[in-house]
Amino acid sequence: MAMTDVLSAEDIKKAVGAFSAAESFNYKKFFEMVGLKKKSPEDVKKVFHILDKDRSGFIEEEELKFVLKGFTPDGRDLSDKETKALLAAGDKDGDGKIGADGMCLEE
């Protein structure tokens, strides 16, 4: 399954482009721009599984660094600071990884 099976290619391009500068990533704005906040829980889980590259059932810090590339190959790598902020937002139980229920979509 490709990300464009769930989300609009145009929305993905705009969202990834909006955060192309180093240290500019804002996960709340990104998930809103890419259209994820309007998707059903089932679609959010589909996106989660696409981002879970090692199929562990979790998105670990190493996978988060490349989250924008998960949406499009043109995406940049997140900085360590951005990666840690995203992990902190989604890691509900403090185990250092994000489960499918922790996709940081709530306000």
Side-chain angles (χ1 to χ4, degrees), residues 3 31 36 44-67 71 83 86-88 90-92 95-104:
M3 200 60 78
F31 289 141
L36 208 49
V44 171
K45 284 189 179 182
K46 287 176 188 174
V47 169
F48 176 88
H49 291 298
I50 293 168
L51 296 173
D52 178 18
K53 298 293 185 195
D54 66 2
R55 303 286 177 241
S56 67
F58 298 95
I59 300 175
E60 294 86 3
E61 187 171 346
E62 191 57 33
E63 290 170 312
L64 283 178
K65 185 171 193 69
F66 308 112
V67 73
F71 285 87
T83 302
L86 182 54
L87 179 63
D91 182 7
K92 302 296 185 198
D95 65 355
K97 52 192 176 186
I98 298 173
D101 61 342
M103 281 286 288
C104 321

Side-chain angles (χ1 to χ4, degrees), residues 6-52:
V6 183
L7 301 169
S8 148
E10 187 175 321
D11 287 347
I12 291 170
K13 184 177 180 180
K14 283 182 189 173
V16 171
F19 299 103
S20 61
E23 302 300 336
S24 67
F25 186 70
N26 176 309
Y27 66 88
K28 287 182 182 181
K29 287 182 184 174
F30 177 79
F31 289 141
E32 185 176 330
M33 287 179 73
V34 85
L36 208 49
K37 287 189 173 209
K38 296 181 218 154
K39 294 295 180 180
S40 69
E42 294 79 27
D43 282 343
V44 171
K45 284 189 179 182
K46 287 176 188 174
V47 169
F48 176 88
H49 291 298
I50 293 168
L51 296 173
D52 178 18

